[in-house]
């Protein structure tokens, strides 16, 4: 069996804020937009968003309302300019959860929070 990660869908409370964060602040290229569903090109994996209400309608899954504060995953974005990206996000009022720090393995890592409370890692390449 040969599986590849094709896309990730996150459910958002406010698509305007989501588009502002991922499109304007992170600079991801909008790939597609269909009503309440949007996709960003991130390289080999598509990052998608939909409203919670539409997600429930389309999937039949019990997607809860509201911003969720419990976390079981994070999204990682790799850049050579961790400090610069974090400073730009901080200047736009994005909550910084961990300022850039060099890990013992030599990688620079920082964490911010998107408008829905998802943990976003901004990191340098490993190695």
């Amino acid at each position: 069996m040969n599986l590849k990660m094709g896309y990730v869908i996150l459910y958002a409370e406010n698509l305007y804020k989501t588009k502002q964060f991922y499109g304007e602040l992170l600079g991801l290229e909008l790939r597609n937009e269909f009503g309440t569903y949007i996709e960003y090109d991130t390289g080999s994996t598509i990052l998608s968003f939909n409203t919670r209400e539409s997600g429930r309608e389309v999937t039949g899954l019990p997607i809860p309302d509201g911003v969720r504060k419990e976390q079981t995953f994070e999204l990682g974005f790799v850049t050579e300019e961790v400090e610069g990206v974090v400073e730009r996000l901080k200047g736009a009022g994005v909550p910084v959860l961990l300022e850039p720090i060099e890990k013992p393995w030599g990688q620079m890592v920082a964490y911010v929070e998107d408008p829905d409370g998802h943990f976003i890692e901004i990191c340098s390449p490993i190695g």
Side-chain angles (χ1 to χ4, degrees):
M1 182 182 318
N2 184 16
L3 296 176
K4 289 201 261 184
M5 174 74 73
Y7 58 89
V8 172
I9 301 175
L10 298 179
Y11 295 105
E13 196 65 27
N14 183 315
L15 280 184
Y16 174 78
K17 288 181 180 179
T18 298
K19 287 173 80 172
Q20 213 175 18
F21 181 82
Y22 289 92
E24 294 175 26
L25 294 176
L26 291 184
L28 298 181
E29 182 181 333
L30 188 63
R31 185 175 186 270
N32 285 307
E33 186 169 6
F34 308 103
T36 62
Y37 177 81
I38 56 177
E39 294 180 340
Y40 288 99
D41 187 4
T42 65
S44 60
T45 303
I46 298 166
L47 178 57
S48 308
F49 295 90
N50 202 350
T51 62
R52 296 173 191 284
E53 180 181 349
S54 181
R56 282 191 297 272
E57 290 172 10
V58 170
T59 65
L61 296 172
I63 299 165
D65 283 322
V67 173
R68 312 302 299 174
K69 290 298 183 180
E70 65 276 3
Q71 297 299 326
T72 58
F73 72 94
E74 64 187 64
L75 294 178
F77 291 95
V78 179
T79 179
E80 295 286 352
E81 301 176 17
V82 174
E83 293 92 346
V85 170
V86 171
E87 284 304 311
R88 190 174 83 216
L89 294 173
K90 189 188 308 185
V94 172
V96 176
L97 305 174
L98 176 69
E99 292 287 341
I101 186 170
E102 187 171 338
K103 295 295 188 174
W105 52 90
Q107 184 183 35
M108 186 65 67
V109 173
Y111 286 93
V112 300
E113 186 176 277
D114 84 353
D116 284 282
H118 299 117
F119 294 160
I120 308 300
E121 179 181 0
I122 309 296
C123 63
S124 62
I126 296 177

